[in-house]
Amino acid sequence: MRRGFLFVIFVLLWIGLGSCSRYHSGRAESLYQQALEMEELHIPDSAIVLYRQALKQLNGTENAELEASIYNRLGDLLLDHNIYETAWDTYTQALKVSQNLPDKSNLSHAYRGMGKYHYLYKDPDSALFYFEKPLAFLDQIADREERSSVYNNLSSAYKQHNDLARALQCNAAALSLTRNKVKRLRNYAVRGQLFALQMQYDSALFYLEQASRSDDMSVRASAYFKLADLPDEAGIADSLRYRYLQEAYRLSDSIENMAIAHQIDRQEHIRITTDLQEQSHTRLIVAITICVVALLLISVAVFMFYRRHLKRRNEQLFAHKWEKQEARAQENESRELQMIEIIRKAGERCSRDFKASSTYNEWYKRITRGKESLSYDEQKQFQEIVVKEFDPYLQQLSSVVPLTGNDAFLCALIQLGFSTRECAACRGISNETIRSQRTRLRKKIPQNFSKQGLGTVILGE
């Protein structure tokens, strides 16, 4: 009788736990779908919150397939918004979760994410290493589009290594596998560029024109830029080249405006992520706290007795040392703040004086007259003028941050209040290159000065 009662209790508990697990898995699936919708609506911050909430729901369940998919999607989203280190950690979690799954689609996705991380950091050898990982278990990848993406990434990696034959081979394999129209046309753009590098201009022109009809703005913009780069042997007239460039820049500006409207604030993202992680571990923390409190109660009596004995001696021993360290820290902080204030005032003074001159008004009209960028001679002349006018500011700044000539020019343009697009026009480069240069500048700022706000002074952030 007693055994039967215990058996019934066990069965009821097992059913209850199973129902609870199914409920949380269903809730996680719903949150995952909502996050995908937020991505389609270009609201990445909301998508990240929903992905994190879905992962919280999966805590303690057995739905490793869904968990790995969420980690991979989250990693892609973070990587798209330049939050590289957090994206790497997310792909690592996806790799860990999907390691033992029979379908290796998510495992392949995680390896590709790690490869893209190194690709964006201009580390082609490491990127190729991770891109080649899925080849070892390609027959275990059930998702046809994932296999296509494996070859697509390998094509880009081989192109970066100047192995055009293997790049074309992988591109052909990716095209043969994909059923997705956007991916097919993206692969056409890559294929066209590969043919252009091999000087097969007729084939290059064919594939790039096909890619320029894509519904995806980034694919169209890339195709138009590559079409404009084709030489005269491809039959591209100057008027046609101008039209291609005009359309490419128009699409690039649209993509940039869309991204600017929904930028993710890194600090806010870290705060949200930390809060969600803390909430997901609350129950575990409570259990650990109970054990720790019990241990502390036993230890308190011994600690208090020993503390009385050591307190006076320790205070005398460390008081002087602590005062010296505190005074040194305050002195260093005060000196840093003074240097930052000197740099700020120098920048404001140079900017104010230059803006009051007729030279500034003349050049600003040239920059904003509708032309995509200044000519090469105009770029060099304007850079020399600006660097000379901002010499007091740049001298002060270079004593803290190591600056190249282009870094100095960009810092001066930022002090003048120029937008990313105007800075790009002054340099004759793309908006993306300007943003990359800003990122490199930010990394050059010493950590102690960055904490005191030097980044805000020189980059306007």
Side-chain angles (χ1 to χ4, degrees):
M1 186 73 178
R2 185 177 180 184
R3 290 181 179 177
F5 177 75
L6 291 175
F7 177 74
V8 171
I9 295 297
F10 174 78
V11 170
L12 290 174
L13 286 173
W14 183 79
I15 294 173
L17 290 173
S19 299
C20 183
S21 177
R22 285 192 296 273
Y23 167 77
H24 287 295
S25 292
R27 177 63 179 156
E29 178 68 38
S30 176
L31 290 167
Y32 176 56
Q33 294 301 326
Q34 293 177 43
L36 293 177
E37 293 174 6
M38 290 297 104
E39 281 199 65
E40 292 178 359
L41 294 172
H42 304 289
I43 311 177
D45 48 353
S46 298
I48 283 181
V49 173
L50 289 168
Y51 281 137
R52 292 293 185 186
Q53 289 177 348
L55 290 172
K56 176 187 173 183
Q57 292 292 326
L58 288 173
N59 186 30
T61 66
E62 300 296 328
N63 198 342
E65 191 78 44
L66 178 58
E67 187 175 0
S69 296
I70 294 173
Y71 274 124
N72 279 324
R73 293 291 302 191
L74 183 58
D76 292 343
L77 187 57
L78 293 169
L79 207 61
D80 287 342
H81 288 81
N82 305 321
I83 309 178
Y84 299 121
E85 302 307 324
T86 310
W88 175 268
D89 294 339
T90 307
Y91 286 127
T92 303
Q93 288 296 322
L95 193 70
K96 179 180 177 181
V97 173
S98 60
Q99 198 72 246
N100 298 320
L101 293 174
D103 180 4
K104 302 300 183 184
S105 298
N106 278 310
L107 183 63
S108 170
H109 192 153
Y111 276 128
R112 289 193 305 103
M114 292 175 168
K116 285 186 284 187
Y117 168 89
H118 288 288
Y119 189 89
L120 292 171
Y121 268 117
K122 309 299 182 185
D123 185 359
D125 294 332
S126 298
L128 182 59
F129 171 78
Y130 283 104
F131 285 152
E132 288 181 333
K133 281 282 189 179
L135 295 177
F137 49 83
L138 194 66
D139 57 339
Q140 300 178 57
I141 300 175
D143 187 352
R144 182 188 183 98
E145 293 298 332
E146 176 58 33
R147 296 200 301 273
S148 173
S149 296
V150 170
Y151 284 115
N152 181 37
N153 290 146
L154 281 170
S155 177
S156 299
Y158 287 135
K159 185 185 75 172
Q160 200 171 34
H161 282 77
N162 293 320
D163 191 346
L164 301 183
R166 294 180 74 179
L168 272 170
Q169 184 180 5
C170 290
N171 179 260
L175 281 168
S176 68
L177 287 168
T178 185
R179 303 285 177 81
N180 184 286
K181 181 180 178 182
V182 173
K183 287 178 64 176
R184 185 175 72 254
L185 293 178
R186 184 180 292 117
N187 279 308
Y188 276 171
V190 174
R191 193 169 186 81
Q193 188 178 24
L194 291 171
F195 277 126
L197 292 173
Q198 291 185 330
M199 294 186 289
Q200 299 181 36
Y201 300 123
D202 290 342
S203 298
L205 184 61
F206 171 78
Y207 284 108
L208 289 174
E209 285 183 341
Q210 291 292 319
S212 68
R213 299 167 187 157
S214 171
D215 294 333
D216 188 291
M217 286 196 297
S218 61
V219 175
R220 293 208 309 276
S222 174
Y224 281 127
F225 275 123
K226 291 168 185 174
L227 281 167
D229 286 339
L230 289 178
D232 296 337
E233 289 85 344
I236 305 296
D238 289 340
S239 60
L240 194 58
R241 195 184 311 278
Y242 174 77
R243 186 175 69 81
Y244 286 149
L245 282 173
Q246 188 178 38
E247 186 65 16
Y249 283 122
R250 185 187 67 81
L251 290 168
S252 296
D253 290 341
S254 298
I255 294 169
E256 181 185 0
N257 291 336
M258 185 182 297
I260 290 173
H262 302 287
Q263 282 182 343
I264 297 176
D265 182 83
R266 180 169 175 77
Q267 297 302 324
E268 181 65 11
H269 163 68
I270 293 173
R271 184 189 65 79
I272 292 172
T273 302
T274 303
D275 290 344
L276 291 172
Q277 288 175 341
E278 289 176 354
Q279 292 172 15
S280 68
H281 295 99
T282 299
R283 287 176 294 178
L284 179 61
I285 292 173
V286 170
I288 294 174
T289 302
I290 293 173
C291 296
V292 171
V293 168
L295 181 62
L296 285 175
L297 289 174
I298 298 172
S299 305
V300 162
V302 176
F303 174 76
M304 292 300 295
F305 175 80
Y306 188 67
R307 182 174 179 273
R308 288 179 182 178
H309 175 71
L310 294 178
K311 182 178 180 181
R312 183 173 298 174
R313 188 182 68 179
N314 287 342
E315 286 179 351
Q316 294 174 350
L317 182 64
F318 292 114
H320 182 62
K321 181 179 179 180
W322 176 258
E323 289 174 0
K324 288 179 65 177
Q325 291 177 346
E326 185 113 9
R328 189 180 299 113
Q330 291 177 353
E331 181 182 351
N332 290 338
E333 181 178 352
S334 177
R335 183 170 61 251
E336 291 161 1
L337 289 172
Q338 290 174 0
M339 292 181 69
I340 291 172
E341 182 64 15
I342 291 171
I343 292 171
R344 183 186 66 78
K345 289 182 177 179
E348 290 178 351
R349 184 168 56 253
C350 291
S351 177
R352 184 177 60 250
D353 293 343
F354 186 46
K355 283 184 177 180
S357 67
S358 58
T359 304
Y360 169 82
N361 294 328
E362 178 185 349
W363 280 100
Y364 189 76
K365 289 178 182 177
R366 294 189 195 179
I367 294 166
T368 58
R369 64 189 172 187
K371 190 177 178 182
E372 292 298 335
S373 62
L374 301 176
S375 69
Y376 180 78
D377 291 335
E378 288 176 331
Q379 293 168 24
K380 299 299 291 183
Q381 184 181 358
F382 186 52
Q383 182 170 351
E384 291 173 0
I385 292 172
V386 170
V387 170
K388 181 179 179 181
E389 292 292 333
F390 277 80
D391 182 69
Y393 167 67
L394 296 174
Q395 289 289 344
Q396 294 291 344
L397 182 57
S398 61
S399 67
V400 177
V401 182
L403 298 175
T404 64
N406 287 332
D407 289 343
F409 186 34
L410 179 59
C411 288
L413 293 178
I414 292 172
Q415 284 295 312
L416 288 169
F418 279 23
S419 66
T420 300
R421 183 175 180 181
E422 290 169 346
C423 291
C426 293
R427 293 277 312 283
I429 56 179
S430 67
N431 297 341
E432 188 61 34
T433 304
I434 290 294
R435 286 192 290 272
S436 298
Q437 188 180 356
R438 288 173 68 102
T439 300
R440 291 193 298 271
L441 260 174
R442 190 183 306 112
K443 292 180 179 179
K444 288 183 179 182
I445 301 174
Q447 186 176 9
N448 54 330
F449 281 90
S450 180
K451 289 180 179 179
Q452 299 297 336
L454 183 57
T456 301
V457 173
I458 67 174
L459 297 175
E461 299 174 344

